[in-house]
Amino acid sequence: MTATKEPTTAGGDAEIGRDRRRKEDQRLITGRTRWTDNITLPGMLHLAMVRSPFAHARILGIDTSAAKESTNVVAVLTGADLGETQGACINAWPVTTDQLTPPHVPMPSDRVAFAGETVAVVVARSAAEARDAAELVEVDYEELPAALDLKEAAAAHESGGALTHPDLGTNVSAVWRFDSAEAGTGGDVEAAIAQARTDGIVIEREYRQQRLIPAFMEPRSTVVDPTGEQITVWSATQVPHILRFAMAASTGVPESKIRVIAPDVGGGFGGKLQQTPEEMITFAVARRLGKPVKYTETRSESLVAAHHGRDQWQRLTLAATKDGTVTGLKVDLLTDLGAYVAIVGGGVPVLGAFMFNAIYKFPAYQFQTTNVLTNKAWTDAYRGAGRPEATFAIERLMTELAAEVGVDPLEIREKNWIKHEEFPFTTVAGLEYDSGNYEAATAKAKEMFGYDELRREQAERRDRGDRVQLGIGVSTFTEMCGLAPSRVLGSLNYGAGGWEHAEVRMLPTGKVEVVTGTSAHGQGHETAFSQIVADRLGVPFEDIEVLHGDTQVSHKGLDTYGSRSLVVGGEAIVRAADKVIEKARAIAAHLLEASADDLEFAQGRFTVRGTDSGMAITELATAAFAAHDLPDGVEASIDAAATFDPVNFNYPHGTHLCATEVDTETGQVTLRKYVCVDDIGVVINPLIVAGQVHGGLVQGIAQALWEEAVYDDQGTLVSGSFVDYLLPTAADTISFEIDHTTSPSTTNSLGTKGVGEAGTIASTPAVVNAVVDAVRHLGVDDIQMPCTPERVWRAMQGTGAGGETTGAAAPHFDPGAAGNAAQPGTGTEGAAS
């Protein structure tokens, strides 16, 4: 690393921290981009998938004769036809050594395990003709019992219930456990709970994390051209490097013979981090026919067959003293993996395991997840990946603890959170939080929100008995970002590293190319990375080109997910840029006839200390290219590459406050106000950050109020279109008020933290806490997500969290009570369902 740490630009104005409109947007909004589905190659054929209508069935026979005779159909292929050439979908994270991982053949020939699984593929000269012919394929099925209910599936090996994969003898794929007493990071949680039952407070709750669908803007699409020296694959993917590896590893095709390109990708949210069956089928068909082929899914196929997210039952026990000081936390999860163990699916709840303790100083902690296979679409990472699930649970629990003690929800959090002067702080889960200031973020959010005024309005409405009641929800969160440290991932049995690679190329014309191993799908990499390099090298923002998403251009990388692009990929770029400066220094010293130690670098120029003599780094790039007068032993290039592997995650945090109005006669929930203050370290581009936060908020709020993937008792996805799967529009939300505080991260030289998932992680509990708060005085302490009018209404009628019996009502915080005196609980509060 160069000794020069301060950002410098040619004009003297720092790019970092500046609102820059995204470079990418011009081509995106004018339609001058290339989505995968826009790609057309000479002689290209089109695919349509034939999918099972049954959740679980044996394939007795497939009649393809009518489809083969259809107009312009070139071939109709089954799993038996493709055999081993279709490879397999891999699992990269066996979370335990004894994990049961059923083989995931892209197109099975014997048995289907979920409704929507592909059983045949039609190849035709147009997509429409392929889809028409697919309707003519006749499949003879023998329907089998399906494991659909998560709790029943978990116990099926004892109860004799349906098995997702009968040959396994159980639906339990793995049980992963963490205990602070065993790990040496804290005390005995059972002892803490027992003590609290005697002279403290025990809160027990069961929460449902409903199944969600990523619902990205662009459906998945794949084009494969096998006609050149390499097989070229275009795919709407987040992970071109990982996809290339998986294709090579599972098919035997040399990795050097596969080129994967992720062109402009219309969103992902984790939903495009797979090696998908459709990609593998398209790859196999292209190789078999020796012709370019394309597959683009319909929206209904995307909802049915792309991976889903969340889907947990969470049973939690929190122990505390009577004044609300937490003493222990026990978490027991049932996690629905769906029909197969996805590429990182079994690891999603493990990521969450380190976040249930959140910002609080728990002395004792125990976590267990039971990962269960069911005959539904497979689940995997969805925006936040385990951390939204954990944040929801702990923030709901802390609000329940406040209600039990009889104090404001913010007061109970402040009593238990890590103070700013205590950083770095090692948590009961064994992580070291590097920096943070929960007090500052909360104080700013509270002021922006008008917290005290809204509490007074809430009290007045309750006193009047208004039909529409006001609720105030709190979520104070942190998350582990920058999925990266290779040694940490290795200790968790993850199948890959977490480093990232970058190159900075100084072109002889004075322009700069930045090559990154991360792969953007809407985040604004080209803009933010240009700002970083402009400051580091002192070259104009407009003269920097960022290249990514092509394994032949960017030959090394681990792609984009887990809020890692900036904090890992961005740091790799910084290190590559610093190497460029040091390589240029040697040439500058030679040409300026000075000692390298006497050179200063600022605003894109080397100058000899104490003189006006100097050269721009762009001039040195030209000199290196010409190579007419280089020092002996110095190569004719100042280009440089770097690989960065952090030693720790980074930990953004924030305080989110939500006000909702609930109609007590209809159960209708209306958003009134939403304020969030996030601490994401040093901000590179505030405009991009605002977009990330706004988008994340909408996704998290949507889980709280609208979205849910619902299956019927036959295993059919009944929310299989946007008529039934309720995505919000701008008309359904409100204007958000956002701001930030800054606690620079110590894990990278830029001081940055992740932001891509923050809004989603924090907003869901803030909204649900607000909805429950609006009707808590009516005896409601939980409402199962999504908080639809019916579920809210049923909860108010005394039928519990959307139809189930609730536990006994506890003493509650009264926003209008003088002094808000503590009302300690006297024992165990009933479970919410």
Side-chain angles (χ1 to χ4, degrees), residues 442-753:
T442 301
K444 180 175 279 192
K446 190 174 178 181
E447 180 181 0
M448 291 169 59
F449 191 67
Y451 191 86
D452 294 336
E453 293 82 354
L454 284 169
R455 281 293 185 196
R456 282 193 288 272
E457 180 185 341
Q458 180 187 48
E460 292 167 0
R461 288 196 187 195
R462 287 188 180 178
D463 289 343
R464 293 195 303 264
D466 285 2
R467 168 180 167 174
V468 177
Q469 289 289 317
L470 179 65
I472 297 170
V474 174
S475 175
T476 48
F477 85 106
T478 190
E479 56 162 322
M480 53 191 285
C481 272
L483 188 63
S486 295
R487 292 184 179 181
V488 175
L489 296 177
S491 71
L492 294 172
N493 211 34
Y494 184 67
W499 51 265
E500 196 47 76
H501 185 75
E503 298 177 32
V504 175
R505 303 171 182 165
M506 296 295 300
L507 304 181
T509 56
K511 309 300 183 183
V512 181
E513 285 182 344
V514 177
V515 182
T516 175
T518 66
S519 185
H521 45 282
Q523 292 90 338
H525 289 185
E526 295 174 32
T527 304
F529 291 164
S530 292
Q531 291 178 267
I532 291 170
V533 173
D535 274 2
R536 214 69 182 185
L537 297 183
V539 296
F541 170 83
E542 295 78 11
D543 288 350
I544 300 167
E545 187 80 14
V546 178
L547 307 177
H548 60 89
D550 182 337
T551 60
Q552 192 145 293
V553 174
S554 170
H555 70 285
K556 289 179 67 177
L558 286 173
D559 306 318
T560 295
Y561 41 84
S563 294
R564 68 187 303 275
S565 293
L566 177 60
V567 297
V568 188
E571 180 66 17
I573 290 170
V574 166
R575 295 184 177 213
D578 287 346
K579 288 183 179 180
V580 167
I581 295 170
E582 293 310 306
K583 291 180 76 172
R585 186 184 298 274
I587 300 174
H590 175 75
L591 295 177
L592 294 170
E593 299 180 343
S595 167
D597 293 337
D598 289 334
L599 296 184
E600 297 175 336
F601 182 73
Q603 296 184 6
R605 290 182 60 83
F606 285 100
T607 56
V608 180
R609 187 178 292 109
T611 74
D612 294 331
S613 179
M615 291 186 73
I617 196 168
T618 51
E619 295 177 276
L620 292 164
T622 304
F625 172 74
H628 294 162
D629 186 13
L630 298 181
D632 292 341
V634 172
E635 64 183 16
S637 169
I638 59 172
D639 299 348
T643 299
F644 175 60
D645 194 346
V647 297
N648 193 6
F649 302 101
N650 64 91
Y651 301 93
H653 68 84
T655 298
H656 289 226
L657 301 174
C658 176
T660 61
E661 293 182 329
V662 176
D663 188 320
T664 59
E665 293 187 6
T666 67
Q668 180 65 41
V669 177
T670 304
L671 294 173
R672 163 82 173 270
K673 190 171 187 177
Y674 198 103
V675 165
C676 65
V677 175
D678 290 308
D679 189 327
I680 56 169
V682 174
V683 174
I684 303 298
N685 185 318
L687 194 62
I688 290 178
V689 165
Q692 288 281 359
V693 172
H694 284 188
L697 291 177
V698 173
Q699 282 186 289
I701 292 168
Q703 178 175 8
L705 298 180
W706 301 299
E707 293 186 33
E708 183 175 22
V710 178
Y711 285 85
D712 65 16
D713 58 8
Q714 301 299 309
T716 301
L717 183 69
V718 296
S719 54
S721 77
F722 288 156
V723 173
D724 299 297
Y725 189 82
L726 302 183
L727 283 184
T729 68
D732 298 304
T733 58
I734 59 175
S735 293
F736 309 121
E737 297 178 39
I738 70 171
D739 206 336
H740 67 272
T741 54
T742 303
S743 301
S745 173
T746 63
T747 65
N748 62 81
S749 65
L750 292 169
T752 57
K753 302 178 182 180

Side-chain angles (χ1 to χ4, degrees), residues 799-823:
T799 51
E804 297 174 300
T805 302
T806 188
H812 302 302
F813 166 62
D814 180 355
N820 297 321
Q823 302 174 31

Side-chain angles (χ1 to χ4, degrees), residues 280-354:
M280 298 305 295
I281 293 167
T282 307
F283 188 76
V285 170
R287 291 177 63 205
R288 182 184 179 96
L289 300 181
K291 295 182 178 180
V293 297
K294 178 196 288 186
Y295 169 72
T296 300
E297 68 186 3
T298 64
R299 179 61 69 182
S300 60
E301 285 181 297
S302 179
L303 295 175
V304 167
H307 85 246
H308 296 170
R310 312 286 192 255
D311 209 344
Q312 294 179 351
W313 276 107
Q314 306 174 312
R315 182 177 300 137
L316 303 108
T317 305
L318 183 149
T321 61
K322 288 187 176 181
D323 71 350
T325 302
V326 297
T327 58
L329 178 65
K330 183 177 180 180
V331 179
D332 192 2
L333 304 185
L334 282 181
T335 300
D336 193 337
L337 300 181
Y340 298 102
V341 187
I343 193 165
V344 294
V348 169
V350 175
L351 288 174
F354 298 100

Side-chain angles (χ1 to χ4, degrees), residues 87-90 101-108 114 117 275-277 340-342 378:
C89 295
I90 66 171
T101 309
H104 190 178
V105 179
M107 187 161 60
F114 70 97
E117 189 160 18
Q275 166 212 11
T276 69
Y340 298 102
V341 187
W378 33 321

